[in-house]
Each structure stands twice: as C-alpha cells, then as structure tokens.
Amino acid sequence: MKKLLFMILGLIMVNYATAQWTWQNPSPQGNSLFSVYFTNVNTGYAVGGHGTIMKTNNGGLTWTTLSSGTKVSLMAVFFTDANTGFAAGDRTILKTNDAGATWTVQLSGTNDFLTSLYFVDSNTGYAVGGVDAGASSILKTTDGGITWNSLSGGTNSPLRSVFFTDALTGYAAGWYGTILKTTDGGTNWAPLISGVNQSYFSTFFIDSNTGYVAGSWGTVLKTINGGSTWTPLNIGTHDAIASIYFTNANYGYATGRDNGNIYRTTDGGVSWTSQSYTTTDRLSSIYFIDAYTGYAVGDFGVTLKTSDGGSTWVELSTGNTNLLRSISFPETNTGYVAGESGTILKTINSGITWSALSSGTSESLNSVYFTDANSGYVVGANGIIIKTTNGGATWVNQTSGVSFDLWSVCFTNANTGYAVGVGLSILKTINGGLDWSIIPSGAQSGLWSVHFPNALTGYATGRYGGIVKTTNGGASWVALNSGVSTELYSVYAIDANTVYVAGGYSSTTSIILKTTNGGSTWTQQYSGNSDGLYSVFFADSLTGYAVGGSILKTSNGGVSWNELPSGTSNGLSSVRFTSVDNGYVVGVGGTILKTTNGGGNPYGTNDHIGKATMLKLYPNPSSTQVTIEISTMPAQGKLTIINMNGQEIINRQIIGPQTQLDISTLPRGIYFVRYINESSVQVEKVIIQ
C-alpha cells in the first residue's frame, strides 16, 4: 500500500525538468525583433519580444539565442565596445560585460516603456521611452549603467528615439511631432519646430548639423542646421517608417513598419527607391557596418542582410511565418500543420524539418485531422474541405454544401467524420468525405470545435458559452448548460463522461471547464487574466495542456493549472502531444514549438500544489477531521474537496480564517483542497488514511 501511495504521489508532485520548448519554425527563432546592432564585421546582436537576445559571430550566417533573464519585450540594443552592451525594454535595462554571455538588470528607476538607447562613451548613456497615456521618460547614466537618473524633457509625449552627435548635443523624437534637443548633456531640452504633426520612431544624424527623423505616414524630415528648420522629404509611401540609417552624406536607408519595405536614397534624401528583398514581414530596425554591409530585422524573427549597399537583400532567417491554426500527428514522427493563406506543412522526422505542401487553395485553413499517416482532411474559410490520401502530396476538394467558415474537423474512423463552423449546422460524412450531410446542431450560435471520444458520443463548443452533445453518432444534438457566456474555442473528451473545454475572451481572460458526468454539470477549473485559450488537449487522463496567450499544464486532471515558460509571446492556436513528454504547439507568425520533457518547469504563478502560501491543512494525513487555515484576508471564498478523478466531493462557501471539515466518511486516498476567492486560486493536497 505504501508503494502504491508513493507512486500516486509521484504522479501528482511532478518533478519538472528545466523548461524546454524549442523553436522548430521559424529558424533560428520566431519572436519579433525590434533592434539590431553590430560591434564589428562578424559580431552582431538583435533583441526583441519575450526577452529575446540573439548573437552572431559570423556575419549573420548563424545566430545563438542568449539568456536575458527576462520576458519583457526588448526594444533597443547598444554596445559601447566588443564586450559591453545594453538592452532596454519595458521598465528594464540590461547590461553585459562579457559580450552577451550574461546579462544583469540595471536600476532604471522608471515604470515606463523604454524604446531607444544611445551611449556617447563607455560611461555616459541615455534611454528614452514613455507610455501611450501621455508620459515621457529620459534617463541618463554617467557610471556605465550602475545608476540611471531621470531627466526632464519638458514634454508628456512618449519618446521613441534618441541620438547624440557629441558628448553634449543630442536629439530625442517621439509622438505628436515631438522633437527635442539638448546642448548640455541632457540637463535641459528644448522643443524643435518641425512643422509636421506626425509621430516619429527614429532619428539619425550624419554630423552635427545634418540629421533625419522618420515616422508615421511615410514621414521623413531632414535638417541641415542642427534642427533649427526641417524639410519634409518624399519617400514614396504612406506607410510608417520604423528605422532610418545613413552610411554617409548621400546613402541612407529606411524600413517600413507597416509593409516591411526597405527604401534607399543615394542623394541625401532627395529621392528614394524601394529595394529588393525576400520577406513580407514588417521590419523594425536597420543597421549598417560599412557602406556595403547592412542588416534589417523585424516581425517573427525575420533577419535580412545586404552586402552590396542595399541593391539586394538576402533573408538569413528561414521558415513559414503565416499564422498556423491547427496541428495533427497521426504517428509519432509524422505531423501536419494548417494555417492561413492555404498553408499546409508536414514533418516526417518529429518536427526537425517541416516542408510546405501545395494545398491548391489560398483560403485560410483552420483545422487539420489525419486518420492515418496518409489520409487526412483540412477545413477552412468559405466551407472549404480538402482531402489527401497520399500524405499530402495532392489534395482534392470535397463538396461541403455550405459557404460558412469551418473551424474544426474530427473523425471517429476512416470514413466517419464531422466538421463545425460559424453556421448553425454540423456536417457529417460516412464515406470518407465523398458526401457531407448537414445536421441541425441545436446551438444558438456558431461552433468553434468538435471532438468525439467514441463512435456515438460527441461534443461541440462555440460562441457565447454554447455546448452541444450527441449520443447517437451525430444524428441529433442537444444543447448543454455550460454556465458561462464566453467564447468556448476548444473541446477535448477523454471519454464519454469526462470532457474539458477551453475558451474565454480573446484579449481579457481565459477559462477552462470540466465535466465528469457527460455534460450535466460543468465546473470552472481555471479563470486567468491572460488571453483566451484556443486549444485544449490531454496526453493521458491526468496530464493536459491548454494554449492561447500562454501554455498551461495540469498534471492532476485539471485540479490545478500552471503556466509553462514557452519562450515566446506569440499567440498560440493549437496543441498536440504524441506522448506524455513529446508535444507541439503552433500559432502566430508560423510558430512551431516542441517539448521533449512535458513542457518543463512551470512558472508557478497560478495554483500551487504542496506549497502553502495561503492554506494550512492539519492534521495531514488524517482519518476523521481536517482543519483548514486561510492566511490571507479577507478569508472569504469557496472551498472544494476533489478526488483523484476530478470529482467535487465537498463544496462549500466559507467565511473566516479557519474551518473544519469532517472527512470520516470519505474513502482512503489522496484528495485536493481547492480554495478560490476573488483574486486567486490555491490548491493543497490532503491524504485520508
């Protein structure tokens, strides 16, 4: 009995390994990059979303991801010598003294978003930023970043760029036409009149008199007298300009923030031409080492290089960056992904490489399901259904009979399958997609997801908390009461009675529901402040995952869910595991991540098992009665006792810091005590002897 008990404890108290989600697409990684800087012809750095810092030692041929120690978006990077560099982002300034091997947090003293860095020497540097609500920040250090002091710029407009022409003279540019100048090392800043009320994202000076600012609506301004007057230039676009850089008085480059174009001038800005390059992703930063060699970085890790002064650009990053919506692994090594613009990708080596398949359509593809390694279905916009019987080599259009968008497809065997979408009907085929019948769903609005645990029983979830169920193979469907009104984007049924549903509002909250009685009642398991959850999947009866704005994991049948470090802030659309340890998630920007250790160690920011930060249980183990102490105030909320199957055994509202529960009638075993109040969820384990 003791041996069995320790085995169960081992299942619950999971000994997580180090977090391990690795990028499979794009390569080398898919977080957006916002700034690039090179210290010499070979060595360069790029920083971006989710604390990303990348380094190359061979002129961009290969990049290594460095450990920044933060999740905040890093918007700027600047090096004062080969070893000493700084990165800045949301309320954060990082410094390295060993060429990026380690980074330490500097005491910035600001709560604002920092967007630009500039150092005039190894000790003296500036950082600027602000918040959209109308606050600006100018920070200065004179001791190499050990301390930063706030300077008054005389404006409430957020600042987006800073540039110094010498130790005393500098410029800062930002929203609402703001251009500031200092001639005393930042002690005083004077506003400059540009005559144009646009937001500026970048500033660059060739010498003490000649400089440029660039920003929204294709705005590029030039001064030849140190900012006393500014002349608008026609760059040939109304798209925002994110970054501007000049290699000499005549040759300059600008990147398009909205469309990713690169523009070049050879006459000091009088005329501009759009350059040839190989990406459609937006570009955020451009940097040149010399007159010929330059780099540009942008959305989803895109990295470009020119070796001929911008005449041609080569993409150093690789992989598809379309939004990926769905993933299916019919075998351990063989998997398929579907997404926007008709994208279908395939791997035959567990995701080491992904090849693009020709789907024959440019429609958005929303769901993929394979019944075996070769036979699969994809559904998408405007009622499209396509099928392959040769592992994706060719795809054949099926006649769905509907024109509304289809969002989910599921098969119970080689011939019988179902598809749902924004219409009020459910589609069914019994002949492998040759024909599809239209069945009333019983739902009040459209459906997002469908799943069958067996041939007869199926569930579909949709808009405004809608859940419908069939027990006769889809011949008829009945509506269930979910108890919520949020969008329910995904459903996964472990068996006919045990079902999980994930959803929420896309930008405000996430929710997970569970039933253990076939949908008669639903229990809310998780409600967080992250983005909505778009996919839920269970690797076994206890181990499940949900993805959206983050990756959540449960190891106890949903009693508690914890966020896993994913390594990205990209939105995630779908999750699938081929075993308890090996899993994949896909999402925005072509994101494909893989784990080989069950997702790694959780952040531990949500539920806590065996870590009493709010609850004390004693005696534990017990056979008759357990006392529960709540250490936070106000001690008012809901207390639930849950067994190993996820069933609620005791459920009560409590008021006060201490309560006693009679457990004498409960069978021996391991249970969970879950306490929920208005601000948090806490879970502790109790053993009944």
Side-chain angles (χ1 to χ4, degrees):
M1 182 65 184
K2 279 188 176 180
K3 184 176 181 181
L4 177 61
L5 178 60
F6 282 115
M7 288 176 64
I8 296 173
L9 280 170
L11 287 173
I12 300 171
M13 302 299 291
V14 179
N15 183 19
Y16 291 102
T18 303
Q20 191 64 37
W21 290 90
T22 57
W23 283 96
Q24 294 197 309
N25 185 77
S27 179
Q29 63 87 46
N31 289 321
S32 292
L33 299 173
F34 301 121
S35 182
V36 59
Y37 193 100
F38 272 71
T39 57
N40 58 49
V41 67
N42 291 315
T43 307
Y45 301 82
V47 302
H50 210 82
T52 298
I53 303 179
M54 295 171 53
K55 179 181 180 179
T56 179
N57 287 314
N58 53 17
L61 294 179
T62 59
W63 295 81
T64 301
T65 301
L66 307 177
S67 177
S68 68
T70 181
K71 292 194 301 178
V72 305
S73 291
L74 299 174
M75 307 300 294
V77 60
F78 196 103
F79 272 71
T80 58
D81 57 46
N83 293 312
T84 308
F86 299 83
D90 186 6
R91 297 168 291 180
T92 300
I93 299 177
L94 305 178
K95 180 179 180 180
T96 181
N97 290 312
D98 52 16
T102 59
W103 295 81
T104 58
V105 177
Q106 308 295 289
L107 298 177
S108 67
T110 183
N111 289 320
D112 289 338
F113 200 84
L114 300 175
T115 55
S116 183
L117 286 167
Y118 197 96
F119 275 73
V120 297
D121 56 44
S122 60
N123 290 314
T124 307
Y126 300 82
V128 302
V131 293
D132 294 352
S136 64
S137 286
I138 304 177
L139 306 179
K140 179 179 181 180
T141 181
T142 56
D143 53 17
I146 296 174
T147 58
W148 292 82
N149 298 308
S150 179
L151 306 178
S152 175
T155 180
N156 289 325
S157 299
L159 299 172
R160 291 295 178 256
S161 182
V162 60
F163 193 100
F164 272 70
T165 57
D166 57 45
L168 297 177
T169 307
Y171 300 82
W175 283 26
Y176 313 123
T178 300
I179 305 176
L180 306 177
K181 180 178 181 179
T182 181
T183 56
D184 54 13
T187 301
N188 297 286
W189 295 80
L192 302 179
I193 306 301
S194 69
V196 179
N197 187 25
Q198 298 295 339
S199 293
Y200 303 125
F201 307 126
S202 182
T203 181
F204 190 94
F205 272 72
I206 299 168
D207 54 41
S208 59
N209 291 313
T210 306
Y212 300 81
V213 293
S216 58
W217 288 96
T219 301
V220 177
L221 308 180
K222 179 179 180 179
T223 181
I224 56 174
N225 52 21
S228 296
T229 59
W230 296 85
T231 302
L233 305 177
N234 182 11
I235 199 170
T237 182
H238 291 298
D239 294 314
I241 302 301
S243 181
I244 191 167
Y245 196 101
F246 274 73
T247 57
N248 57 41
N250 291 316
Y251 281 78
Y253 305 83
T255 60
R257 194 184 72 167
D258 295 334
N259 62 11
N261 284 337
I262 299 177
Y263 304 91
R264 182 174 73 162
T265 180
T266 59
D267 53 16
V270 176
S271 59
W272 296 78
T273 57
S274 182
Q275 302 301 284
S276 172
Y277 67 104
T278 58
T279 181
T280 58
D281 293 308
R282 300 183 304 176
L283 299 172
S284 300
S285 178
I286 192 166
Y287 187 94
F288 271 75
I289 302 169
D290 53 40
Y292 299 100
T293 309
Y295 297 82
V297 299
D299 281 4
F300 312 127
V302 64
T303 307
L304 308 178
K305 179 179 180 178
T306 181
S307 300
D308 55 12
S311 296
T312 58
W313 292 82
V314 176
E315 188 168 358
L316 303 177
S317 52
T318 60
N320 189 293
T321 57
N322 287 327
L323 167 62
L324 303 178
R325 297 189 184 276
S326 180
I327 185 168
S328 175
F329 266 80
E331 294 181 346
T332 301
N333 297 322
T334 305
Y336 299 83
V337 173
E340 68 176 8
S341 302
T343 299
I344 302 179
L345 307 179
K346 178 182 180 179
T347 180
I348 56 174
N349 52 19
S350 300
I352 296 174
T353 58
W354 292 84
S355 57
L357 305 179
S358 177
S359 66
T361 181
S362 60
E363 297 281 9
S364 178
L365 302 178
N366 301 324
S367 181
V368 55
Y369 193 100
F370 271 70
T371 57
D372 57 48
N374 292 313
S375 300
Y377 302 80
V378 176
V379 302
N382 299 311
I384 188 172
I385 303 177
I386 56 177
K387 177 183 179 179
T388 182
T389 56
N390 54 15
T394 57
W395 295 84
V396 178
N397 278 312
Q398 309 289 290
T399 302
S400 69
V402 299
S403 59
F404 56 76
D405 292 352
L406 297 172
W407 282 96
S408 181
V409 60
C410 174
F411 273 69
T412 58
N413 57 46
N415 292 312
T416 306
Y418 303 83
V420 301
V422 296
L424 298 180
S425 301
I426 294 177
L427 306 184
K428 178 180 179 179
T429 181
I430 57 174
N431 55 15
L434 293 178
D435 302 291
W436 293 83
S437 56
I438 301 174
I439 304 169
S441 67
Q444 297 299 308
S445 191
L447 298 169
W448 296 115
S449 180
V450 60
H451 189 249
F452 276 70
N454 58 48
L456 295 178
T457 306
Y459 297 83
T461 59
R463 308 206 66 190
Y464 313 123
I467 303 178
V468 294
K469 176 184 179 181
T470 181
T471 56
N472 54 16
S476 61
W477 296 77
V478 295
L480 305 178
N481 182 13
S482 69
V484 300
S485 58
T486 59
E487 302 291 302
L488 300 178
Y489 293 111
S490 180
V491 58
Y492 189 88
I494 292 178
D495 54 45
N497 293 313
T498 307
V499 186
Y500 295 84
V501 174
Y505 293 114
S506 60
S507 60
T508 56
T509 188
S510 52
I511 188 172
I512 299 175
L513 306 178
K514 179 182 180 179
T515 181
T516 57
N517 54 19
S520 296
T521 58
W522 296 85
T523 301
Q524 185 168 310
Q525 291 197 308
Y526 178 88
S527 179
N529 294 320
S530 59
D531 291 340
L533 298 170
Y534 299 111
S535 179
V536 61
F537 184 88
F538 271 71
D540 59 30
S541 61
L542 295 177
T543 310
Y545 300 82
V547 302
S550 58
I551 301 177
L552 302 178
K553 177 179 180 178
T554 180
S555 299
N556 50 30
V559 175
S560 60
W561 293 82
N562 292 285
E563 184 179 347
L564 302 178
S566 66
T568 185
S569 299
N570 293 348
L572 303 173
S573 307
S574 183
V575 56
R576 287 295 181 272
F577 272 70
T578 57
S579 68
V580 174
D581 292 325
N582 296 293
Y584 305 80
V585 294
V586 302
V588 173
T591 296
I592 305 178
L593 304 176
K594 180 182 179 180
T595 181
T596 57
N597 66 353
N601 186 49
Y603 285 121
T605 55
N606 300 308
D607 300 348
H608 304 271
I609 300 179
K611 184 178 179 182
T613 58
M614 292 177 62
L615 301 181
K616 287 185 178 180
L617 310 179
Y618 59 87
N620 188 12
S622 178
S623 59
T624 57
Q625 181 175 280
V626 62
T627 299
I628 301 171
E629 286 188 0
I630 302 167
S631 59
T632 59
M633 297 298 290
Q636 180 174 343
K638 178 181 177 182
L639 195 67
T640 308
I641 304 293
I642 303 166
N643 66 15
M644 286 288 290
N645 294 322
Q647 296 172 311
E648 293 187 359
I649 308 302
I650 298 175
N651 189 331
R652 66 171 62 174
Q653 296 290 327
I654 61 171
I655 299 175
Q658 189 179 94
T659 188
Q660 285 80 37
L661 291 178
D662 181 2
I663 58 173
S664 60
T665 60
L666 298 181
R668 289 185 299 176
I670 297 176
Y671 295 79
F672 297 96
V673 178
R674 180 169 62 191
Y675 171 70
I676 304 175
N677 64 15
E678 60 186 9
S679 61
S680 62
V681 179
Q682 187 74 19
V683 179
E684 294 295 335
K685 179 177 76 282
V686 63
I687 300 174
I688 300 178
Q689 295 178 327

PDB file of all heavy atoms in Angstrom, residues 249-269:
ATOM      1  N   ALA A 249      26.893  60.959 -46.263  1.00  0.00           N
ATOM      2  CA  ALA A 249      26.013  62.103 -46.515  1.00  0.00           C
ATOM      3  C   ALA A 249      24.971  61.830 -47.581  1.00  0.00           C
ATOM      4  O   ALA A 249      23.906  62.475 -47.607  1.00  0.00           O
ATOM      5  CB  ALA A 249      26.846  63.322 -46.902  1.00  0.00           C
ATOM      6  N   ASN A 250      25.230  60.879 -48.473  1.00  0.00           N
ATOM      7  CA  ASN A 250      24.319  60.629 -49.584  1.00  0.00           C
ATOM      8  C   ASN A 250      23.495  59.351 -49.433  1.00  0.00           C
ATOM      9  O   ASN A 250      22.328  59.320 -49.814  1.00  0.00           O
ATOM     10  CB  ASN A 250      25.111  60.566 -50.898  1.00  0.00           C
ATOM     11  CG  ASN A 250      25.674  61.910 -51.282  1.00  0.00           C
ATOM     12  OD1 ASN A 250      24.984  62.927 -51.200  1.00  0.00           O
ATOM     13  ND2 ASN A 250      26.937  61.935 -51.695  1.00  0.00           N
ATOM     14  N   TYR A 251      24.120  58.300 -48.914  1.00  0.00           N
ATOM     15  CA  TYR A 251      23.463  57.000 -48.885  1.00  0.00           C
ATOM     16  C   TYR A 251      22.739  56.775 -47.559  1.00  0.00           C
ATOM     17  O   TYR A 251      23.357  56.792 -46.484  1.00  0.00           O
ATOM     18  CB  TYR A 251      24.477  55.883 -49.121  1.00  0.00           C
ATOM     19  CG  TYR A 251      24.846  55.707 -50.567  1.00  0.00           C
ATOM     20  CD1 TYR A 251      25.741  56.587 -51.188  1.00  0.00           C
ATOM     21  CD2 TYR A 251      24.292  54.683 -51.320  1.00  0.00           C
ATOM     22  CE1 TYR A 251      26.076  56.439 -52.526  1.00  0.00           C
ATOM     23  CE2 TYR A 251      24.616  54.523 -52.662  1.00  0.00           C
ATOM     24  CZ  TYR A 251      25.506  55.411 -53.249  1.00  0.00           C
ATOM     25  OH  TYR A 251      25.830  55.261 -54.576  1.00  0.00           O
ATOM     26  N   GLY A 252      21.440  56.552 -47.686  1.00  0.00           N
ATOM     27  CA  GLY A 252      20.623  56.303 -46.498  1.00  0.00           C
ATOM     28  C   GLY A 252      19.578  55.244 -46.752  1.00  0.00           C
ATOM     29  O   GLY A 252      19.220  54.951 -47.906  1.00  0.00           O
ATOM     30  N   TYR A 253      19.066  54.664 -45.651  1.00  0.00           N
ATOM     31  CA  TYR A 253      18.127  53.543 -45.731  1.00  0.00           C
ATOM     32  C   TYR A 253      17.019  53.731 -44.693  1.00  0.00           C
ATOM     33  O   TYR A 253      17.253  54.258 -43.598  1.00  0.00           O
ATOM     34  CB  TYR A 253      18.854  52.221 -45.484  1.00  0.00           C
ATOM     35  CG  TYR A 253      20.027  52.027 -46.412  1.00  0.00           C
ATOM     36  CD1 TYR A 253      21.265  52.601 -46.115  1.00  0.00           C
ATOM     37  CD2 TYR A 253      19.893  51.316 -47.596  1.00  0.00           C
ATOM     38  CE1 TYR A 253      22.347  52.446 -46.976  1.00  0.00           C
ATOM     39  CE2 TYR A 253      20.976  51.157 -48.458  1.00  0.00           C
ATOM     40  CZ  TYR A 253      22.199  51.729 -48.143  1.00  0.00           C
ATOM     41  OH  TYR A 253      23.257  51.587 -48.994  1.00  0.00           O
ATOM     42  N   ALA A 254      15.827  53.284 -45.048  1.00  0.00           N
ATOM     43  CA  ALA A 254      14.690  53.356 -44.129  1.00  0.00           C
ATOM     44  C   ALA A 254      13.865  52.084 -44.260  1.00  0.00           C
ATOM     45  O   ALA A 254      13.744  51.523 -45.357  1.00  0.00           O
ATOM     46  CB  ALA A 254      13.827  54.575 -44.436  1.00  0.00           C
ATOM     47  N   THR A 255      13.312  51.627 -43.146  1.00  0.00           N
ATOM     48  CA  THR A 255      12.493  50.410 -43.152  1.00  0.00           C
ATOM     49  C   THR A 255      11.042  50.747 -42.889  1.00  0.00           C
ATOM     50  O   THR A 255      10.726  51.622 -42.086  1.00  0.00           O
ATOM     51  CB  THR A 255      12.969  49.413 -42.083  1.00  0.00           C
ATOM     52  OG1 THR A 255      12.875  50.030 -40.785  1.00  0.00           O
ATOM     53  CG2 THR A 255      14.399  48.992 -42.336  1.00  0.00           C
ATOM     54  N   GLY A 256      10.153  50.033 -43.572  1.00  0.00           N
ATOM     55  CA  GLY A 256       8.723  50.232 -43.414  1.00  0.00           C
ATOM     56  C   GLY A 256       8.168  49.419 -42.266  1.00  0.00           C
ATOM     57  O   GLY A 256       8.303  48.194 -42.255  1.00  0.00           O
ATOM     58  N   ARG A 257       7.555  50.076 -41.303  1.00  0.00           N
ATOM     59  CA  ARG A 257       6.993  49.378 -40.156  1.00  0.00           C
ATOM     60  C   ARG A 257       5.705  48.651 -40.511  1.00  0.00           C
ATOM     61  O   ARG A 257       5.352  47.644 -39.906  1.00  0.00           O
ATOM     62  CB  ARG A 257       6.718  50.358 -39.011  1.00  0.00           C
ATOM     63  CG  ARG A 257       6.456  49.661 -37.684  1.00  0.00           C
ATOM     64  CD  ARG A 257       6.105  50.633 -36.590  1.00  0.00           C
ATOM     65  NE  ARG A 257       4.772  51.199 -36.761  1.00  0.00           N
ATOM     66  CZ  ARG A 257       4.127  51.887 -35.817  1.00  0.00           C
ATOM     67  NH1 ARG A 257       4.711  52.105 -34.665  1.00  0.00           N
ATOM     68  NH2 ARG A 257       2.931  52.373 -36.038  1.00  0.00           N
ATOM     69  N   ASP A 258       4.978  49.145 -41.500  1.00  0.00           N
ATOM     70  CA  ASP A 258       3.694  48.547 -41.843  1.00  0.00           C
ATOM     71  C   ASP A 258       3.805  47.478 -42.924  1.00  0.00           C
ATOM     72  O   ASP A 258       3.091  46.482 -42.903  1.00  0.00           O
ATOM     73  CB  ASP A 258       2.706  49.630 -42.309  1.00  0.00           C
ATOM     74  CG  ASP A 258       2.370  50.603 -41.199  1.00  0.00           C
ATOM     75  OD1 ASP A 258       2.470  50.205 -40.020  1.00  0.00           O
ATOM     76  OD2 ASP A 258       2.038  51.757 -41.505  1.00  0.00           O
ATOM     77  N   ASN A 259       4.707  47.681 -43.882  1.00  0.00           N
ATOM     78  CA  ASN A 259       4.755  46.756 -45.011  1.00  0.00           C
ATOM     79  C   ASN A 259       6.095  46.052 -45.168  1.00  0.00           C
ATOM     80  O   ASN A 259       6.247  45.188 -46.022  1.00  0.00           O
ATOM     81  CB  ASN A 259       4.422  47.488 -46.310  1.00  0.00           C
ATOM     82  CG  ASN A 259       5.438  48.589 -46.625  1.00  0.00           C
ATOM     83  OD1 ASN A 259       6.489  48.686 -46.007  1.00  0.00           O
ATOM     84  ND2 ASN A 259       5.107  49.421 -47.605  1.00  0.00           N
ATOM     85  N   GLY A 260       7.081  46.384 -44.379  1.00  0.00           N
ATOM     86  CA  GLY A 260       8.364  45.707 -44.454  1.00  0.00           C
ATOM     87  C   GLY A 260       9.255  46.141 -45.590  1.00  0.00           C
ATOM     88  O   GLY A 260      10.319  45.554 -45.795  1.00  0.00           O
ATOM     89  N   ASN A 261       8.883  47.152 -46.355  1.00  0.00           N
ATOM     90  CA  ASN A 261       9.739  47.613 -47.446  1.00  0.00           C
ATOM     91  C   ASN A 261      11.023  48.249 -46.914  1.00  0.00           C
ATOM     92  O   ASN A 261      11.056  48.768 -45.797  1.00  0.00           O
ATOM     93  CB  ASN A 261       9.014  48.632 -48.321  1.00  0.00           C
ATOM     94  CG  ASN A 261       8.008  47.971 -49.241  1.00  0.00           C
ATOM     95  OD1 ASN A 261       8.122  46.797 -49.554  1.00  0.00           O
ATOM     96  ND2 ASN A 261       7.010  48.729 -49.674  1.00  0.00           N
ATOM     97  N   ILE A 262      12.060  48.200 -47.736  1.00  0.00           N
ATOM     98  CA  ILE A 262      13.299  48.925 -47.464  1.00  0.00           C
ATOM     99  C   ILE A 262      13.483  49.961 -48.562  1.00  0.00           C
ATOM    100  O   ILE A 262      13.398  49.648 -49.757  1.00  0.00           O
ATOM    101  CB  ILE A 262      14.515  47.982 -47.422  1.00  0.00           C
ATOM    102  CG1 ILE A 262      14.351  46.955 -46.310  1.00  0.00           C
ATOM    103  CG2 ILE A 262      15.799  48.784 -47.208  1.00  0.00           C
ATOM    104  CD1 ILE A 262      15.468  45.935 -46.251  1.00  0.00           C
ATOM    105  N   TYR A 263      13.713  51.217 -48.154  1.00  0.00           N
ATOM    106  CA  TYR A 263      13.875  52.314 -49.098  1.00  0.00           C
ATOM    107  C   TYR A 263      15.315  52.821 -49.021  1.00  0.00           C
ATOM    108  O   TYR A 263      15.916  52.873 -47.949  1.00  0.00           O
ATOM    109  CB  TYR A 263      12.904  53.448 -48.779  1.00  0.00           C
ATOM    110  CG  TYR A 263      11.456  52.990 -48.743  1.00  0.00           C
ATOM    111  CD1 TYR A 263      10.876  52.563 -47.545  1.00  0.00           C
ATOM    112  CD2 TYR A 263      10.687  52.978 -49.895  1.00  0.00           C
ATOM    113  CE1 TYR A 263       9.563  52.135 -47.513  1.00  0.00           C
ATOM    114  CE2 TYR A 263       9.367  52.558 -49.865  1.00  0.00           C
ATOM    115  CZ  TYR A 263       8.813  52.128 -48.670  1.00  0.00           C
ATOM    116  OH  TYR A 263       7.508  51.701 -48.641  1.00  0.00           O
ATOM    117  N   ARG A 264      15.863  53.191 -50.193  1.00  0.00           N
ATOM    118  CA  ARG A 264      17.241  53.677 -50.244  1.00  0.00           C
ATOM    119  C   ARG A 264      17.304  55.007 -50.980  1.00  0.00           C
ATOM    120  O   ARG A 264      16.596  55.228 -51.966  1.00  0.00           O
ATOM    121  CB  ARG A 264      18.149  52.668 -50.948  1.00  0.00           C
ATOM    122  CG  ARG A 264      19.622  53.114 -50.980  1.00  0.00           C
ATOM    123  CD  ARG A 264      20.527  52.057 -51.555  1.00  0.00           C
ATOM    124  NE  ARG A 264      20.378  51.913 -53.008  1.00  0.00           N
ATOM    125  CZ  ARG A 264      21.273  51.328 -53.794  1.00  0.00           C
ATOM    126  NH1 ARG A 264      22.376  50.807 -53.269  1.00  0.00           N
ATOM    127  NH2 ARG A 264      21.061  51.228 -55.091  1.00  0.00           N
ATOM    128  N   THR A 265      18.164  55.884 -50.462  1.00  0.00           N
ATOM    129  CA  THR A 265      18.469  57.132 -51.154  1.00  0.00           C
ATOM    130  C   THR A 265      19.962  57.189 -51.436  1.00  0.00           C
ATOM    131  O   THR A 265      20.778  56.717 -50.630  1.00  0.00           O
ATOM    132  CB  THR A 265      18.049  58.365 -50.324  1.00  0.00           C
ATOM    133  OG1 THR A 265      18.378  59.556 -51.057  1.00  0.00           O
ATOM    134  CG2 THR A 265      18.740  58.399 -48.970  1.00  0.00           C
ATOM    135  N   THR A 266      20.326  57.747 -52.558  1.00  0.00           N
ATOM    136  CA  THR A 266      21.739  57.927 -52.902  1.00  0.00           C
ATOM    137  C   THR A 266      22.084  59.405 -53.083  1.00  0.00           C
ATOM    138  O   THR A 266      23.198  59.735 -53.505  1.00  0.00           O
ATOM    139  CB  THR A 266      22.076  57.169 -54.199  1.00  0.00           C
ATOM    140  OG1 THR A 266      21.245  57.647 -55.262  1.00  0.00           O
ATOM    141  CG2 THR A 266      21.870  55.673 -54.015  1.00  0.00           C
ATOM    142  N   ASP A 267      21.110  60.268 -52.744  1.00  0.00           N
ATOM    143  CA  ASP A 267      21.336  61.702 -52.925  1.00  0.00           C
ATOM    144  C   ASP A 267      20.907  62.498 -51.688  1.00  0.00           C
ATOM    145  O   ASP A 267      20.348  63.583 -51.801  1.00  0.00           O
ATOM    146  CB  ASP A 267      20.606  62.205 -54.166  1.00  0.00           C
ATOM    147  CG  ASP A 267      19.123  61.827 -54.172  1.00  0.00           C
ATOM    148  OD1 ASP A 267      18.602  61.444 -53.091  1.00  0.00           O
ATOM    149  OD2 ASP A 267      18.500  61.895 -55.246  1.00  0.00           O
ATOM    150  N   GLY A 268      21.168  61.907 -50.534  1.00  0.00           N
ATOM    151  CA  GLY A 268      20.880  62.627 -49.293  1.00  0.00           C
ATOM    152  C   GLY A 268      19.414  62.804 -49.002  1.00  0.00           C
ATOM    153  O   GLY A 268      19.038  63.728 -48.263  1.00  0.00           O
ATOM    154  N   GLY A 269      18.564  61.962 -49.567  1.00  0.00           N
ATOM    155  CA  GLY A 269      17.148  62.005 -49.259  1.00  0.00           C
ATOM    156  C   GLY A 269      16.291  62.710 -50.271  1.00  0.00           C
ATOM    157  O   GLY A 269      15.062  62.768 -50.108  1.00  0.00           O
TER     158      GLY A 269
END
